[in-house]
Structure formats: structure tokens, C-alpha cells
Coordinates of all heavy atoms in Angstrom, one line a residue:
M26 N 0.6 -15.4 11.0 CA 1.1 -14.5 10.0 C 1.9 -13.4 10.7 O 3.0 -13.0 10.2 CB 0.0 -14.0 9.2 CG 0.4 -13.3 8.0 SD 1.1 -14.3 6.6 CE -0.2 -15.3 6.2
I27 N 1.5 -12.9 11.8 CA 2.2 -11.8 12.5 C 3.6 -12.3 13.0 O 4.6 -11.6 12.8 CB 1.4 -11.3 13.7 CG1 0.1 -10.6 13.2 CG2 2.2 -10.3 14.6 CD1 -0.8 -10.2 14.3
R28 N 3.6 -13.5 13.4 CA 4.9 -14.1 14.0 C 5.9 -14.2 12.8 O 7.1 -13.8 12.9 CB 4.7 -15.4 14.6 CG 5.9 -16.0 15.2 CD 5.6 -17.2 16.0 NE 5.1 -16.7 17.3 CZ 4.5 -17.5 18.2 NH1 4.5 -18.8 18.0 NH2 4.1 -17.1 19.4
E29 N 5.4 -14.7 11.6 CA 6.3 -14.8 10.5 C 6.8 -13.4 10.0 O 8.0 -13.2 9.6 CB 5.6 -15.4 9.3 CG 5.4 -16.9 9.5 CD 4.0 -17.2 10.3 OE1 3.3 -16.2 10.6 OE2 3.7 -18.3 10.4
C30 N 5.9 -12.4 10.0 CA 6.2 -11.1 9.6 C 7.3 -10.5 10.6 O 8.3 -9.9 10.1 CB 5.0 -10.1 9.6 SG 5.3 -8.5 9.0
T31 N 7.1 -10.6 11.9 CA 8.0 -10.0 12.8 C 9.4 -10.7 12.7 O 10.5 -10.1 12.9 CB 7.6 -10.1 14.3 OG1 7.2 -11.4 14.5 CG2 6.3 -9.1 14.4
T32 N 9.4 -12.1 12.5 CA 10.6 -12.8 12.3 C 11.4 -12.3 11.1 O 12.7 -12.1 11.2 CB 10.4 -14.3 12.1 OG1 9.7 -14.7 13.3 CG2 11.7 -15.1 12.0
E33 N 10.7 -12.0 10.0 CA 11.4 -11.5 8.8 C 11.9 -10.1 9.1 O 13.0 -9.7 8.6 CB 10.4 -11.4 7.7 CG 10.0 -12.8 7.1 CD 11.0 -13.3 6.2 OE1 11.5 -12.6 5.4 OE2 11.1 -14.5 6.2
I34 N 11.2 -9.3 9.9 CA 11.7 -7.9 10.2 C 13.0 -8.1 11.0 O 14.0 -7.3 10.8 CB 10.7 -7.1 10.9 CG1 9.6 -6.7 9.9 CG2 11.3 -5.8 11.5 CD1 8.3 -6.1 10.6
L35 N 13.0 -9.0 11.9 CA 14.2 -9.2 12.7 C 15.4 -9.7 12.0 O 16.5 -9.2 12.1 CB 13.9 -10.2 13.9 CG 13.1 -9.6 15.0 CD1 12.6 -10.7 16.0 CD2 13.8 -8.5 15.7
T36 N 15.1 -10.7 11.1 CA 16.3 -11.4 10.4 C 16.8 -10.5 9.2 O 17.9 -10.4 8.9 CB 15.9 -12.8 10.0 OG1 14.8 -12.8 9.1 CG2 15.7 -13.7 11.2
R37 N 15.8 -10.1 8.4 CA 16.2 -9.4 7.1 C 16.4 -7.9 7.3 O 17.2 -7.3 6.4 CB 15.0 -9.6 6.0 CG 14.9 -11.0 5.6 CD 13.9 -11.3 4.6 NE 13.7 -10.3 3.6 CZ 12.6 -9.9 3.1 NH1 11.4 -10.6 3.4 NH2 12.5 -8.9 2.2
F38 N 15.8 -7.3 8.2 CA 15.9 -5.8 8.4 C 16.4 -5.4 9.7 O 16.2 -4.3 10.1 CB 14.5 -5.2 8.1 CG 14.0 -5.5 6.8 CD1 12.9 -6.4 6.6 CD2 14.5 -4.9 5.6 CE1 12.5 -6.7 5.3 CE2 14.0 -5.2 4.3 CZ 13.0 -6.1 4.2
S39 N 17.2 -6.3 10.4 CA 17.8 -5.9 11.7 C 16.8 -5.3 12.7 O 17.2 -4.5 13.5 CB 19.0 -5.0 11.5 OG 19.9 -5.5 10.6
G40 N 15.6 -5.8 12.7 CA 14.6 -5.3 13.7 C 14.0 -4.0 13.3 O 13.2 -3.6 14.2
K41 N 14.3 -3.5 12.2 CA 13.7 -2.1 11.9 C 12.7 -2.4 10.8 O 12.9 -3.0 9.8 CB 14.7 -1.2 11.4 CG 15.7 -0.8 12.5 CD 16.7 0.3 12.0 CE 17.7 0.6 13.0 NZ 17.3 1.5 14.1
V42 N 11.5 -1.7 11.0 CA 10.4 -1.8 9.9 C 11.0 -1.1 8.7 O 11.4 0.0 8.7 CB 9.1 -1.1 10.4 CG1 8.1 -1.1 9.3 CG2 8.6 -1.8 11.7
P43 N 10.9 -1.8 7.5 CA 11.4 -1.2 6.3 C 10.6 0.0 5.9 O 9.3 0.1 6.2 CB 11.2 -2.4 5.2 CG 10.6 -3.4 5.9 CD 10.4 -3.1 7.3
N44 N 11.2 0.9 5.1 CA 10.6 2.2 4.7 C 10.3 2.3 3.2 O 10.2 3.4 2.7 CB 11.3 3.4 5.3 CG 12.6 3.5 4.8 OD1 13.1 2.7 4.0 ND2 13.3 4.6 5.1
T45 N 10.3 1.2 2.5 CA 10.0 1.2 1.1 C 8.8 0.3 0.9 O 8.7 -0.7 1.6 CB 11.1 0.8 0.2 OG1 11.4 -0.6 0.4 CG2 12.4 1.7 0.5
L46 N 8.0 0.6 -0.2 CA 6.8 -0.2 -0.5 C 7.3 -1.6 -0.9 O 6.7 -2.6 -0.5 CB 6.1 0.5 -1.7 CG 4.8 -0.2 -2.1 CD1 3.7 0.0 -1.1 CD2 4.4 0.2 -3.5
E47 N 8.3 -1.8 -1.7 CA 8.9 -2.9 -2.2 C 9.3 -3.9 -1.0 O 9.0 -5.1 -1.0 CB 10.0 -2.8 -3.1 CG 9.7 -2.2 -4.5 CD 9.4 -0.6 -4.3 OE1 9.9 0.0 -3.4 OE2 8.8 0.0 -5.2
E48 N 10.0 -3.4 0.0 CA 10.5 -4.2 1.1 C 9.3 -4.5 2.0 O 9.2 -5.7 2.4 CB 11.5 -3.4 1.9 CG 12.8 -3.2 1.2 CD 13.8 -2.4 2.0 OE1 13.4 -1.5 2.7 OE2 15.0 -2.7 1.8
L49 N 8.3 -3.6 2.2 CA 7.1 -3.9 3.0 C 6.3 -5.1 2.4 O 5.9 -6.0 3.1 CB 6.3 -2.7 3.2 CG 6.9 -1.7 4.3 CD1 6.2 -0.4 4.2 CD2 6.9 -2.2 5.6
V50 N 6.0 -5.0 1.1 CA 5.2 -6.0 0.5 C 5.9 -7.4 0.4 O 5.2 -8.4 0.2 CB 4.6 -5.6 -0.9 CG1 3.7 -4.4 -0.7 CG2 5.7 -5.3 -1.9
S51 N 7.2 -7.4 0.7 CA 7.9 -8.7 0.6 C 7.7 -9.4 1.9 O 8.1 -10.6 2.0 CB 9.5 -8.5 0.4 OG 10.1 -7.9 1.5
L52 N 7.2 -8.8 2.9 CA 6.9 -9.4 4.2 C 5.6 -10.1 4.2 O 4.6 -9.8 3.5 CB 6.8 -8.3 5.3 CG 8.1 -7.5 5.5 CD1 7.8 -6.4 6.5 CD2 9.1 -8.5 6.3
P53 N 5.6 -11.3 4.9 CA 4.3 -12.1 4.9 C 3.2 -11.3 5.5 O 3.3 -10.7 6.5 CB 4.8 -13.3 5.9 CG 6.2 -13.3 6.0 CD 6.7 -11.9 5.7
G54 N 2.1 -11.4 4.8 CA 0.8 -10.8 5.3 C 0.7 -9.3 5.0 O -0.3 -8.7 5.3
I55 N 1.7 -8.7 4.3 CA 1.7 -7.2 4.0 C 1.4 -7.1 2.5 O 2.2 -7.5 1.7 CB 3.0 -6.6 4.4 CG1 3.4 -6.8 5.9 CG2 3.0 -5.1 4.0 CD1 2.4 -6.2 6.8
G56 N 0.3 -6.4 2.2 CA 0.0 -6.1 0.8 C 0.2 -4.6 0.6 O 0.6 -3.9 1.5
R57 N -0.2 -4.2 -0.6 CA 0.0 -2.7 -0.9 C -0.7 -1.8 0.0 O -0.3 -0.7 0.4 CB -0.4 -2.5 -2.4 CG 0.6 -3.1 -3.4 CD 0.2 -2.7 -4.8 NE 0.5 -1.3 -5.1 CZ 1.7 -0.9 -5.5 NH1 2.7 -1.7 -5.7 NH2 1.9 0.4 -5.7
K58 N -2.0 -2.1 0.3 CA -2.8 -1.3 1.1 C -2.2 -1.1 2.5 O -2.0 0.0 3.0 CB -4.2 -1.9 1.3 CG -5.2 -1.0 2.2 CD -6.6 -1.4 2.1 CE -6.7 -2.7 2.7 NZ -8.2 -3.2 2.8
T59 N -1.8 -2.2 3.1 CA -1.1 -2.1 4.5 C 0.2 -1.4 4.4 O 0.6 -0.5 5.2 CB -0.9 -3.5 5.1 OG1 -2.1 -4.1 5.2 CG2 -0.2 -3.4 6.5
A60 N 0.9 -1.6 3.3 CA 2.3 -1.0 3.1 C 2.1 0.5 3.0 O 2.9 1.2 3.6 CB 3.0 -1.6 1.9
N61 N 1.1 1.0 2.2 CA 0.9 2.4 2.0 C 0.5 3.1 3.4 O 0.9 4.2 3.7 CB -0.1 2.6 0.9 CG 0.5 2.7 -0.4 OD1 1.6 3.2 -0.6 ND2 -0.1 2.0 -1.4
V62 N -0.2 2.3 4.2 CA -0.7 2.9 5.4 C 0.5 3.0 6.4 O 0.7 4.1 7.1 CB -1.8 2.0 6.1 CG1 -2.0 2.4 7.6 CG2 -3.1 2.1 5.4
V63 N 1.4 2.0 6.4 CA 2.6 2.1 7.2 C 3.6 3.2 6.7 O 4.0 3.9 7.6 CB 3.4 0.7 7.2 CG1 4.8 0.8 7.9 CG2 2.5 -0.3 7.9
L64 N 3.7 3.3 5.4 CA 4.6 4.3 4.9 C 4.1 5.7 5.3 O 4.8 6.6 5.7 CB 4.8 4.2 3.4 CG 5.5 3.1 2.9 CD1 5.4 2.9 1.4 CD2 7.0 3.1 3.4
G65 N 2.8 5.9 5.2 CA 2.2 7.2 5.5 C 2.2 7.6 7.0 O 2.6 8.7 7.4
T66 N 1.9 6.6 7.8 CA 1.7 6.8 9.2 C 3.1 6.8 10.0 O 3.3 7.7 10.7 CB 0.8 5.7 9.9 OG1 -0.4 5.7 9.2 CG2 0.6 6.0 11.3
A67 N 3.9 5.9 9.6 CA 5.2 5.8 10.3 C 6.3 6.6 9.8 O 7.2 7.0 10.5 CB 5.6 4.2 10.4
F68 N 6.3 6.8 8.4 CA 7.4 7.5 7.8 C 7.0 8.8 7.1 O 7.9 9.5 6.6 CB 8.1 6.6 6.8 CG 8.6 5.3 7.4 CD1 7.9 4.1 7.3 CD2 9.8 5.3 8.2 CE1 8.4 2.9 7.9 CE2 10.2 4.2 8.8 CZ 9.6 3.0 8.7
G69 N 5.8 9.1 7.1 CA 5.4 10.4 6.4 C 5.5 10.3 5.0 O 5.6 11.4 4.3
I70 N 5.6 9.2 4.3 CA 5.7 9.0 2.9 C 4.3 8.9 2.3 O 3.6 7.9 2.6 CB 6.6 7.8 2.6 CG1 7.9 8.0 3.2 CG2 6.7 7.6 1.1 CD1 8.8 6.7 3.1
P71 N 3.9 9.9 1.5 CA 2.5 9.8 1.0 C 2.3 8.7 0.0 O 3.2 8.3 -0.8 CB 2.4 11.2 0.3 CG 3.8 11.6 0.0 CD 4.7 11.0 1.0
G72 N 1.1 8.3 0.0 CA 0.7 7.2 -1.0 C -0.8 7.1 -1.0 O -1.5 7.8 -0.3
I73 N -1.3 6.3 -1.9 CA -2.8 6.1 -2.1 C -3.2 4.7 -1.5 O -2.6 3.7 -2.0 CB -3.2 6.2 -3.5 CG1 -2.8 7.5 -4.1 CG2 -4.7 5.9 -3.7 CD1 -3.6 8.7 -3.7
T74 N -4.0 4.6 -0.6 CA -4.5 3.4 0.0 C -5.9 3.1 -0.6 O -6.8 3.9 -0.3 CB -4.6 3.5 1.5 OG1 -3.2 3.9 2.0 CG2 -4.9 2.2 2.2
V75 N -5.9 2.1 -1.4 CA -7.2 1.8 -2.1 C -7.9 0.7 -1.3 O -7.4 -0.5 -1.3 CB -7.1 1.4 -3.5 CG1 -8.3 1.1 -4.2 CG2 -6.3 2.6 -4.3
D76 N -9.0 1.0 -0.6 CA -9.9 0.0 0.0 C -11.2 0.0 -0.9 O -11.3 0.6 -1.9 CB -10.1 0.2 1.4 CG -10.9 1.5 1.7 OD1 -11.3 2.3 0.8 OD2 -11.1 1.9 2.9
T77 N -12.2 -0.8 -0.4 CA -13.4 -1.0 -1.1 C -14.1 0.4 -1.4 O -14.6 0.7 -2.4 CB -14.4 -1.8 -0.4 OG1 -13.7 -3.1 -0.2 CG2 -15.7 -2.1 -1.1
H78 N -14.1 1.2 -0.3 CA -14.7 2.5 -0.5 C -14.0 3.5 -1.4 O -14.7 4.2 -2.3 CB -14.9 3.2 0.9 CG -15.5 2.2 1.9 ND1 -16.8 2.0 1.8 CD2 -15.0 1.6 3.0 CE1 -17.2 1.1 2.8 NE2 -16.1 0.9 3.5
V79 N -12.7 3.5 -1.4 CA -11.9 4.4 -2.3 C -12.2 3.9 -3.8 O -12.4 4.7 -4.6 CB -10.4 4.4 -2.0 CG1 -9.7 5.0 -3.1 CG2 -10.2 5.0 -0.6
L80 N -12.2 2.6 -3.9 CA -12.4 2.0 -5.2 C -13.8 2.5 -5.8 O -13.9 3.0 -6.9 CB -12.3 0.5 -5.2 CG -12.5 -0.2 -6.5 CD1 -11.1 -0.9 -6.8 CD2 -13.6 -1.1 -6.5
R81 N -14.8 2.3 -5.0 CA -16.2 2.6 -5.4 C -16.4 4.1 -5.7 O -16.9 4.6 -6.7 CB -17.2 2.2 -4.5 CG -17.5 0.7 -4.5 CD -18.7 0.3 -3.7 NE -18.3 0.4 -2.3 CZ -19.0 0.0 -1.3 NH1 -20.2 -0.5 -1.5 NH2 -18.6 0.2 -0.1
V82 N -15.9 5.0 -4.8 CA -16.1 6.4 -4.9 C -15.3 6.9 -6.1 O -15.8 7.7 -6.9 CB -15.7 7.1 -3.6 CG1 -15.6 8.6 -3.8 CG2 -16.6 6.8 -2.5
S83 N -14.1 6.4 -6.3 CA -13.3 6.9 -7.4 C -13.9 6.4 -8.8 O -13.8 7.2 -9.7 CB -11.8 6.4 -7.3 OG -11.8 5.0 -7.3
Q84 N -14.5 5.3 -8.8 CA -15.3 5.0 -10.0 C -16.5 5.8 -10.2 O -16.8 6.3 -11.3 CB -15.7 3.5 -9.9 CG -14.5 2.5 -10.0 CD -14.9 1.1 -9.7 OE1 -15.8 0.9 -9.0 NE2 -14.1 0.1 -10.1
R85 N -17.2 6.1 -9.2 CA -18.4 6.9 -9.3 C -18.1 8.3 -9.7 O -18.9 9.0 -10.4 CB -19.2 7.0 -8.0 CG -20.0 5.7 -7.7 CD -21.0 5.8 -6.7 NE -21.7 4.6 -6.6 CZ -22.6 4.3 -5.6 NH1 -22.8 5.3 -4.7 NH2 -23.2 3.2 -5.6
L86 N -17.0 8.9 -9.3 CA -16.5 10.2 -9.6 C -15.9 10.3 -11.0 O -15.5 11.3 -11.5 CB -15.6 10.7 -8.6 CG -16.1 11.0 -7.3 CD1 -15.0 11.4 -6.2 CD2 -17.2 12.1 -7.3
G87 N -15.7 9.1 -11.6 CA -15.1 9.0 -12.9 C -13.6 9.2 -13.0 O -13.0 9.5 -14.0
L88 N -13.0 8.9 -11.9 CA -11.6 9.1 -11.7 C -10.8 7.8 -12.3 O -9.6 7.9 -12.6 CB -11.1 9.3 -10.3 CG -11.8 10.6 -9.7 CD1 -11.4 10.6 -8.2 CD2 -11.4 11.8 -10.4
T89 N -11.5 6.8 -12.4 CA -11.0 5.4 -12.9 C -12.1 4.6 -13.4 O -13.2 4.7 -13.0 CB -10.2 4.7 -11.8 OG1 -9.5 3.6 -12.3 CG2 -11.1 4.3 -10.6
D90 N -11.7 3.7 -14.4 CA -12.6 2.7 -14.9 C -12.1 1.3 -14.4 O -12.8 0.4 -14.8 CB -12.7 2.8 -16.4 CG -13.2 4.0 -16.9 OD1 -14.2 4.5 -16.4 OD2 -12.8 4.5 -18.0
N91 N -11.1 1.3 -13.7 CA -10.5 0.0 -13.3 C -11.2 -0.6 -12.1 O -11.7 0.1 -11.2 CB -9.0 0.2 -13.0 CG -8.2 0.4 -14.3 OD1 -8.2 -0.4 -15.2 ND2 -7.5 1.5 -14.4
Q92 N -11.2 -1.9 -12.0 CA -11.7 -2.6 -10.9 C -10.6 -3.2 -10.0 O -10.8 -3.5 -8.8 CB -12.4 -3.9 -11.4 CG -13.7 -3.6 -12.3 CD -14.8 -3.1 -11.4 OE1 -14.9 -3.4 -10.3 NE2 -15.5 -2.1 -12.0
D93 N -9.3 -3.3 -10.5 CA -8.3 -3.8 -9.7 C -7.7 -2.6 -8.8 O -7.3 -1.6 -9.3 CB -7.2 -4.2 -10.7 CG -5.9 -4.8 -10.0 OD1 -5.0 -4.1 -9.7 OD2 -5.9 -6.0 -9.7
P94 N -7.6 -2.9 -7.5 CA -7.1 -1.9 -6.6 C -5.7 -1.3 -6.9 O -5.5 -0.1 -6.8 CB -7.1 -2.6 -5.2 CG -8.1 -3.7 -5.3 CD -8.0 -4.1 -6.8
V95 N -4.8 -2.1 -7.4 CA -3.5 -1.7 -7.8 C -3.6 -0.7 -9.0 O -2.9 0.4 -8.9 CB -2.5 -2.8 -8.2 CG1 -1.2 -2.3 -8.6 CG2 -2.3 -3.6 -6.9
K96 N -4.4 -1.0 -10.0 CA -4.6 -0.1 -11.1 C -5.3 1.2 -10.7 O -4.9 2.2 -11.1 CB -5.4 -0.8 -12.2 CG -4.6 -2.0 -12.9 CD -5.4 -2.7 -13.9 CE -4.6 -3.8 -14.6 NZ -5.4 -4.5 -15.5
V97 N -6.3 1.1 -9.8 CA -6.9 2.3 -9.3 C -5.9 3.2 -8.5 O -5.9 4.3 -8.7 CB -8.1 1.9 -8.3 CG1 -8.7 3.1 -7.7 CG2 -9.2 1.2 -9.2
E98 N -5.0 2.5 -7.7 CA -4.0 3.3 -7.0 C -3.1 4.1 -8.0 O -2.9 5.3 -7.8 CB -3.1 2.3 -6.2 CG -2.0 2.9 -5.6 CD -1.0 1.9 -4.9 OE1 -1.4 0.7 -4.7 OE2 0.1 2.3 -4.6
F99 N -2.7 3.5 -9.1 CA -1.8 4.1 -10.1 C -2.7 5.2 -10.8 O -2.1 6.3 -11.1 CB -1.2 3.1 -11.0 CG -0.1 2.4 -10.4 CD1 -0.2 1.1 -10.1 CD2 1.1 3.1 -10.2 CE1 0.9 0.4 -9.5 CE2 2.2 2.4 -9.7 CZ 2.1 1.1 -9.3
D100 N -3.9 5.0 -11.0 CA -4.8 6.0 -11.7 C -4.9 7.2 -10.8 O -4.8 8.3 -11.3 CB -6.1 5.5 -12.1 CG -6.2 4.5 -13.1 OD1 -5.2 4.4 -13.9 OD2 -7.3 3.8 -13.2
L101 N -5.1 7.0 -9.5 CA -5.3 8.1 -8.6 C -4.0 8.9 -8.3 O -4.0 10.1 -8.1 CB -5.8 7.6 -7.3 CG -7.3 7.0 -7.3 CD1 -7.8 6.5 -6.0 CD2 -8.3 8.1 -7.8
M102 N -2.9 8.1 -8.4 CA -1.6 8.7 -8.2 C -1.3 9.8 -9.2 O -0.6 10.7 -9.0 CB -0.4 7.7 -8.1 CG -0.4 6.9 -6.8 SD 0.7 5.5 -6.8 CE 2.2 6.1 -7.7
E103 N -1.8 9.6 -10.4 CA -1.6 10.5 -11.5 C -2.3 11.8 -11.3 O -2.0 12.8 -11.9 CB -2.1 9.9 -12.8 CG -1.2 8.8 -13.3 CD -1.7 8.2 -14.6 OE1 -2.4 8.8 -15.3 OE2 -1.3 7.0 -14.9
I104 N -3.4 11.8 -10.5 CA -4.2 13.1 -10.3 C -4.2 13.7 -9.0 O -4.6 14.9 -8.7 CB -5.6 12.8 -10.7 CG1 -6.3 11.7 -10.0 CG2 -5.7 12.5 -12.3 CD1 -7.8 11.5 -10.3
V105 N -3.6 12.9 -8.0 CA -3.6 13.4 -6.5 C -2.2 14.0 -6.3 O -1.2 13.2 -6.4 CB -3.9 12.3 -5.6 CG1 -3.7 12.8 -4.1 CG2 -5.3 11.7 -5.8
P106 N -2.1 15.3 -6.1 CA -0.9 16.0 -5.9 C -0.1 15.4 -4.6 O -0.8 15.1 -3.6 CB -1.2 17.4 -5.6 CG -2.6 17.6 -6.1 CD -3.2 16.2 -6.0
G107 N 1.2 15.2 -4.8 CA 2.0 14.7 -3.6 C 1.9 13.2 -3.3 O 2.5 12.8 -2.4
S108 N 1.2 12.4 -4.1 CA 1.1 11.0 -3.9 C 2.2 10.3 -4.6 O 2.8 10.8 -5.6 CB -0.2 10.5 -4.3 OG -0.4 10.6 -5.7
S109 N 2.7 9.3 -4.0 CA 3.8 8.5 -4.7 C 3.5 7.0 -4.5 O 2.8 6.6 -3.7 CB 5.1 8.9 -4.1 OG 5.2 8.6 -2.7
G110 N 4.2 6.2 -5.3 CA 4.0 4.8 -5.2 C 5.2 4.1 -4.7 O 6.0 3.6 -4.3

């Protein structure tokens, strides 16, 4: 999977890691969680990364009723200042 991802970066993006969520998730093996981590770490673009722990804690705090990580991400984006999708 890593080889396919790096090949796509070389061929489609001239060897540069893309800096948008849409472009990152178009790469093999890259989902929203990884894309948000890359955007935040490499490009300083804020986002919400929903893993198992974020999902459970946000539900326990009453911040979301959703089970789907993408839906939880969007729920949290509405209440967390400075987050974007």
C-alpha cells in the first residue's frame, strides 16, 4: 500500500504531498483520519482526527450521538473553534 501511495504522489502530484483533504484521501491507504493528521502536522491546517478514543469520549460528554467517525468529525467541527474539514 505504501508503494502505491508514493507512486501516486510522484505521478499525480509531482512528488509533493498534497495539502487538501480531498487529494489526500484519493491516495491509496489514506483515510480521513490519516489525512487530517498529515494536514495538521505537515501543513498546520487544523482538523478533527476521530479515533476510537475521540469517538467514545465525545459520546460520553454528549457532544455527539453518532457512531460513524466522519459524522462525529463534522459534529465536533461545529463546536471546536478553529477546526476545519
Side-chain angles (χ1 to χ4, degrees):
M26 193 69 65
I27 293 172
R28 189 171 277 173
E29 291 88 356
C30 183
T31 56
T32 299
E33 291 280 320
I34 290 172
L35 285 171
T36 58
R37 290 178 41 212
F38 301 104
S39 303
K41 296 189 183 274
V42 176
N44 64 353
T45 68
L46 184 74
E47 293 76 21
E48 290 174 328
L49 284 167
V50 297
S51 74
L52 295 168
I55 305 295
R57 289 186 72 89
K58 183 170 68 172
T59 301
N61 276 317
V62 170
V63 170
L64 289 173
T66 304
F68 300 105
I70 300 171
I73 303 287
T74 304
V75 178
D76 64 2
T77 303
H78 305 291
V79 170
L80 186 118
R81 284 190 292 188
V82 170
S83 61
Q84 289 170 339
R85 284 194 178 172
L86 293 174
L88 303 176
T89 186
D90 292 324
N91 287 304
Q92 297 288 326
D93 181 272
V95 175
K96 290 180 181 177
V97 172
E98 177 185 342
F99 283 106
D100 288 345
L101 295 176
M102 284 171 42
E103 290 180 20
I104 59 176
V105 175
S108 62
S109 64

